[in-house]
Amino acid sequence: MCQVISTAFVRIRLGENQKLSNYYTVWVTDKRYRGDQPLTYASESKLDLGSIIRVPFRQKTSLGLVVSSVDRPDFELKEVESVIAKAPLPPSQLSLLKWMVKYYPAPISVELQLFLPSSLSGTKDEDKKVPKLSKKKEVSLPNLTIEQSKAIKQIEQSKSRTILLHGETGSGKTRVYLELVRKALDQNLSAIVLTPEIGLTTQLVSSLRASFPDKVVLLHSAVNPKARRSRWHQVHDSKTPLIVVGPRSALFAPLKDVGLIVIDEAHEQAYKQEQQPRYQTTRVAAKLAELSHSKLILGSATPLISDYYMLSRLGEIVRMSGLAIKPKENTVIQPPVTIKLTDKDEFSRSRWLSNELLKSIEQSAKSGEQSMIFLNRRGTALTVLCNVCGWHAACPNCSNSLTYHGDSHSIRCHNCGFSSKVPTNCPVCRNHDVIFKGAGTKAIVEDLKKIFPMLSISRFDRDNKKSESLSENYKHLLSGKIDIAVGTQILTKGFDLPKLSTVGVIAADSSLAFPDYTAEERTYQLLAQVIGRVSRGHTAGRVFLQAYNPNNPAISLATRDRYLDFYEEQIKQRSIFKFPPFYYLLKISTERASSKSSQDAIAELTAKIKLDSSSLIVSEPMPAFREKIRGKFIWQIVVKAKERSALLKVIEKLPQGWSYDIDPSNLL
């Protein structure tokens, strides 16, 4: 961990006539500050605990947060430059910050940036204009189903603060969220509603604004700095309850009087922050709910194994299994069809799309309905290699294979961004027989355009330009203007598309290949969510899963909607092999210029940890799943403990420069 810097005070000579009578300890957001103690500043005026200020720090200006008032020290100090906001940070947010510093150790400057975004540093009086909220006429909420009413009643009567809303896809979880939000607003309380990714906010914001047009504030990193600053002040200064919507960062909005926190698609890996501080959103939300005396709702059709285990014992699980929409006539959902990728006769029209899938796409198009093709791989081809000597294109900075992108005729690293032109001949044997193997989303689109030239086909993945993104084209997707949508995981997350009738998964078992204890869980969740896109009662749905091993339990149980059977199988394995929820995990890694130096360093640390504590289970040193990233070699170990506090003690003793992730979402 970072070494403590013993600079608790900022010293400067300002002259003998300085007339300042107020002194405060302040945390600053400047990344150059790596200490764990607040600095001391002087102020002409009195400041409240939690005041947001601008202070000088090392010849620059930094945002700061007032931690406490202190007596005048025996030396003179730098002076607070200005106050950013009239009111201090809400007490619940201040308490949450102090808790996070201990629970997810990281430099305080990094922790503080979650609560005080960098956009605030440029605040000027003219930028503080509060954005106008929508004045559209409020749309009445649709009537609740019997099952939704029962779920809401159970949530309201529950003594548990955290509740898992385990609702099947299509059961109407969003309608339950809306009703709970309405009840919070009626009590003059605010609400926070989180989605796993920015692209998923469009649908949810649309639903919320229709019912609460003057209450919704969207907060996320894609908003330009000036707009984000204005919205932050809007939330901070509001005298009436609001609904803040956004991805995980919206949890740190300066809302007062929070009464409800909703985490939609709570199983999603995107709720784990992968940079310091590496927090798990659901855990932080549970603490905020405790501090603000509010309810936390975790909504999911496929809950995390650990969440289900913990909440079945320490919280409450509310079940919803029926469809919210009464199925129309002739809308029976057919059981998913599994097709073995090794059955070559099934792929006579396309290398990647089976004949049955293509026939279903044709039927959907003739009926004016949509199709969705899911493949969790971007690009045109996954591997570029020499058909003579076996050379393959690899990133010079990482251990990744380079992916071919046909639209730009380039090969790219999806890890560090390296890009180059496609070689016309092999750089090893100089042969011209360079081939492309494997398919990405772009290759699937090209194949579909050849087979269905008259249909509208759109691709949705991280390679999209802004104009091509899902958030920009959601209305076209919803209306059915797009005949075939091809994409990665973003297409599987919570969308309700009334005209969707065919879903195809190109390689249903590809995620099982990852060497991680969560591989089967991720596969089950992904397939259940994909299948759920057409199990909603709008149209007759058909699902096609193409896989090498369709009999794997994660696939077979997902196709039969057997979550509890899958859960029981997984929880037994977790108990035997000492994984969460039975043990806490800590991943420690180091980056060095060579593989040997990285391996030697991690081996030395492993021996020291084992010597310090015999109660810990420490793995042997191993290269990371991606051993080389941006020219550095990464080796890691995994430490297991029955008590989380034991892992925090390990973090405290880590040398400077080491990386660590407590409660990692995976061990890759």
Side-chain angles (χ1 to χ4, degrees):
M1 191 178 176
C2 300
Q3 296 293 311
V4 174
I5 302 175
S6 58
T7 53
F9 301 100
V10 180
R11 303 176 183 233
I12 188 169
R13 293 288 178 184
L14 295 178
E16 298 180 1
N17 295 325
Q18 184 184 27
K19 295 180 180 180
L20 299 170
S21 57
N22 303 288
Y23 307 94
Y24 300 96
T25 57
V26 176
W27 281 334
V28 296
T29 61
D30 195 300
K31 291 182 180 179
R32 295 172 299 169
Y33 182 63
R34 309 296 289 180
D36 63 357
Q37 297 296 316
L39 307 176
T40 303
Y41 288 87
S43 173
E44 284 188 22
S45 58
K46 288 187 176 181
L47 300 174
D48 294 324
L49 180 67
S51 290
I52 304 160
I53 57 177
R54 188 183 289 110
V55 294
F57 181 78
R58 294 185 184 174
Q59 288 76 52
K60 290 187 177 181
T61 297
S62 173
L63 287 175
L65 187 73
V66 174
V67 178
S68 65
S69 61
V70 295
D71 294 332
R72 177 174 180 169
D74 59 359
F75 50 84
E76 297 187 14
L77 309 167
K78 286 185 178 180
E79 184 180 353
V80 172
E81 289 189 358
S82 61
V83 177
I84 296 292
K86 294 178 181 178
L89 204 65
S92 59
Q93 290 283 310
L94 186 58
S95 298
L96 183 66
L97 171 59
K98 292 179 178 179
W99 172 82
M100 284 197 66
V101 168
K102 296 179 180 178
Y103 200 82
Y104 292 109
I108 286 176
S109 59
V110 177
E111 304 264 12
L112 188 56
Q113 288 170 26
L114 296 173
F115 298 81
L116 304 183
S118 59
S119 58
L120 292 180
S121 62
T123 301
K124 296 179 181 179
D125 290 340
E126 60 267 24
D127 290 339
K128 291 185 181 180
K129 296 177 181 177
V130 177
K132 292 182 180 179
L133 290 165
S134 173
K135 292 297 182 182
K136 291 182 180 179
K137 185 178 180 181
E138 181 177 323
V139 176
S140 298
L141 292 169
N143 292 332
L144 293 164
T145 65
I146 294 174
E147 190 174 39
Q148 289 169 343
S149 296
K150 287 181 178 178
I152 291 166
K153 185 176 180 180
Q154 187 178 345
I155 290 169
E156 290 182 318
Q157 293 178 346
S158 175
K159 295 180 180 178
S160 298
R161 195 170 296 287
T162 301
I163 296 166
L164 171 61
L165 181 58
H166 183 196
E168 298 293 340
T169 53
S171 61
K173 293 187 293 294
T174 300
R175 177 64 183 90
V176 173
Y177 303 155
L178 293 173
E179 188 65 20
L180 294 173
V181 167
R182 184 187 67 76
K183 288 176 177 289
L185 294 175
D186 287 346
Q187 298 175 51
N188 208 33
L189 297 172
S190 291
I192 299 173
V193 183
L194 302 184
T195 62
E197 294 183 10
I198 293 171
L200 299 177
T201 59
T202 305
Q203 178 175 291
L204 192 54
V205 166
S206 178
S207 298
L208 285 164
R209 281 185 173 155
S211 303
F212 315 105
D214 60 341
K215 295 292 184 182
V216 180
V217 180
L218 179 61
L219 284 177
H220 57 69
S221 58
V223 177
N224 69 66
K226 185 174 180 179
R228 195 177 183 197
R229 181 163 62 241
S230 296
R231 293 182 193 183
W232 190 95
H233 280 289
Q234 175 189 3
V235 173
H236 179 268
D237 299 339
S238 179
K239 300 292 191 278
T240 59
L242 295 174
I243 308 164
V244 170
V245 185
R248 60 177 183 265
S249 60
L251 188 63
F252 305 101
L255 263 183
K256 297 179 285 294
D257 301 320
V258 176
L260 175 71
I261 304 170
V262 174
I263 301 183
D264 190 28
E265 307 291 344
H267 61 277
E268 283 292 342
Q269 199 164 355
Y271 284 122
K272 171 67 177 182
Q273 168 97 343
E274 296 299 344
Q275 297 84 34
Q276 282 191 324
R278 293 182 169 91
Y279 64 87
Q280 174 53 255
T281 304
T282 51
R283 181 66 191 92
V284 178
K287 185 63 180 181
L288 179 58
E290 175 190 324
L291 294 169
S292 59
H293 308 290
S294 57
K295 287 270 188 183
L296 169 62
I297 311 298
L298 306 181
S300 176
T302 54
L304 290 172
I305 299 298
S306 295
D307 284 351
Y308 197 94
Y309 179 86
M310 298 302 293
L311 290 171
S312 65
R313 287 156 175 77
L314 302 175
E316 184 157 352
I317 298 175
V318 176
R319 189 78 174 98
M320 290 171 57
S321 57
L323 287 175
I325 300 174
K326 185 179 179 180
K328 300 176 182 177
E329 291 184 18
N330 302 319
T331 59
V332 177
I333 306 301
Q334 300 175 10
V337 177
T338 54
I339 300 165
K340 294 194 76 169
L341 285 165
T342 52
D343 186 355
K344 299 303 179 185
D345 291 338
E346 269 295 328
F347 295 86
S348 60
R349 298 178 64 189
S350 166
R351 293 175 62 190
W352 321 114
L353 305 160
S354 64
N355 296 339
E356 281 195 77
L357 174 56
L358 291 173
K359 183 179 178 181
S360 185
I361 293 173
E362 286 176 336
Q363 291 174 349
S364 292
K366 288 178 181 178
S367 302
E369 297 166 353
Q370 288 175 303
S371 298
M372 176 189 292
I373 306 299
F374 168 75
L375 175 64
N376 207 23
R377 300 167 178 170
R378 294 179 284 157
T380 304
L382 304 181
T383 308
V384 179
L385 52 83
C386 176
N387 207 25
V388 177
C389 73
W391 165 87
H392 79 280
C395 177
N397 306 316
C398 305
S399 51
N400 284 6
S401 293
L402 294 173
T403 299
Y404 171 61
H405 288 258
D407 52 353
S408 59
H409 196 55
S410 63
I411 45 179
R412 303 180 202 163
C413 175
H414 287 167
N415 192 67
C416 72
F418 171 83
S419 178
S420 75
K421 294 181 178 179
V422 179
T424 55
N425 59 333
C426 174
V428 175
C429 70
R430 313 310 298 175
N431 197 286
H432 290 281
D433 195 4
V434 176
I435 62 175
F436 309 97
K437 297 201 71 175
T441 50
K442 292 179 181 178
I444 301 301
V445 169
E446 289 173 6
D447 235 21
L448 286 167
K449 285 182 176 179
K450 291 176 184 177
I451 299 169
F452 305 111
M454 302 303 291
L455 297 184
S456 169
I457 304 171
S458 293
R459 172 180 54 83
F460 300 106
D461 58 31
R462 290 185 182 177
D463 291 324
N464 282 141
K465 299 174 183 177
K466 184 178 179 181
S467 60
E468 303 169 337
S469 69
L470 185 55
S471 58
E472 292 289 324
N473 290 276
Y474 172 69
K475 289 182 180 179
H476 297 319
L477 189 61
L478 183 65
S479 67
K481 186 176 179 181
I482 296 172
D483 297 312
I484 307 175
V486 179
T488 51
Q489 286 190 34
I490 192 170
L491 278 180
T492 71
K493 300 174 182 179
F495 288 108
D496 187 4
L497 304 174
K499 293 190 177 183
L500 182 64
S501 61
T502 294
V503 168
V505 182
I506 301 302
D509 50 0
S510 60
S511 53
L512 289 171
F514 288 102
D516 188 66
Y517 79 100
T518 66
E520 288 186 329
E521 179 181 30
R522 298 296 180 199
T523 300
Y524 180 94
Q525 290 168 343
L526 195 58
L527 295 182
Q529 293 289 333
V530 171
I531 293 168
R533 294 315 99 212
V534 292
S535 303
R536 312 176 85 90
H538 298 296
T539 59
R542 301 175 294 273
V543 179
F544 301 85
L545 303 179
Q546 302 176 174
Y548 288 102
N549 180 20
N551 295 321
N552 182 281
I555 297 176
S556 62
L557 291 174
T559 59
R560 289 179 286 150
D561 192 21
R562 302 285 289 275
Y563 175 83
L564 289 181
D565 290 342
F566 179 74
Y567 166 80
E568 292 296 340
E569 180 186 352
Q570 288 291 303
I571 210 70
K572 289 176 186 175
Q573 292 184 29
R574 302 277 181 99
S575 178
I576 293 170
F577 296 107
K578 298 180 173 60
F579 284 113
F582 303 102
Y583 277 76
Y584 292 96
L585 302 181
L586 171 65
K587 183 168 65 175
I588 303 173
S589 60
T590 185
E591 297 182 10
R592 303 293 166 107
S594 71
S595 182
K596 186 179 185 307
S597 61
S598 186
Q599 182 179 3
D600 290 345
I602 201 80
E604 183 179 343
L605 180 69
T606 302
K608 186 176 186 304
I609 293 174
K610 288 181 177 179
L611 186 64
D612 287 347
S613 179
S614 58
S615 66
L616 299 173
I617 300 173
V618 187
S619 73
E620 292 303 312
M622 68 194 91
F625 179 66
R626 294 183 176 88
E627 182 181 358
K628 186 182 180 185
I629 296 179
R630 296 179 179 87
K632 297 289 186 179
F633 291 86
I634 305 171
W635 277 65
Q636 67 183 37
I637 57 172
V638 176
V639 185
K640 301 178 181 179
K642 290 287 286 183
E643 302 295 331
R644 195 174 185 276
S645 57
L647 300 181
L648 291 174
K649 290 178 181 178
V650 173
I651 293 174
E652 287 178 3
K653 296 178 181 179
L654 284 179
Q656 190 172 8
W658 287 73
S659 297
Y660 55 88
D661 186 357
I662 191 166
D663 307 328
S665 60
N666 62 70
L667 300 178
L668 297 176

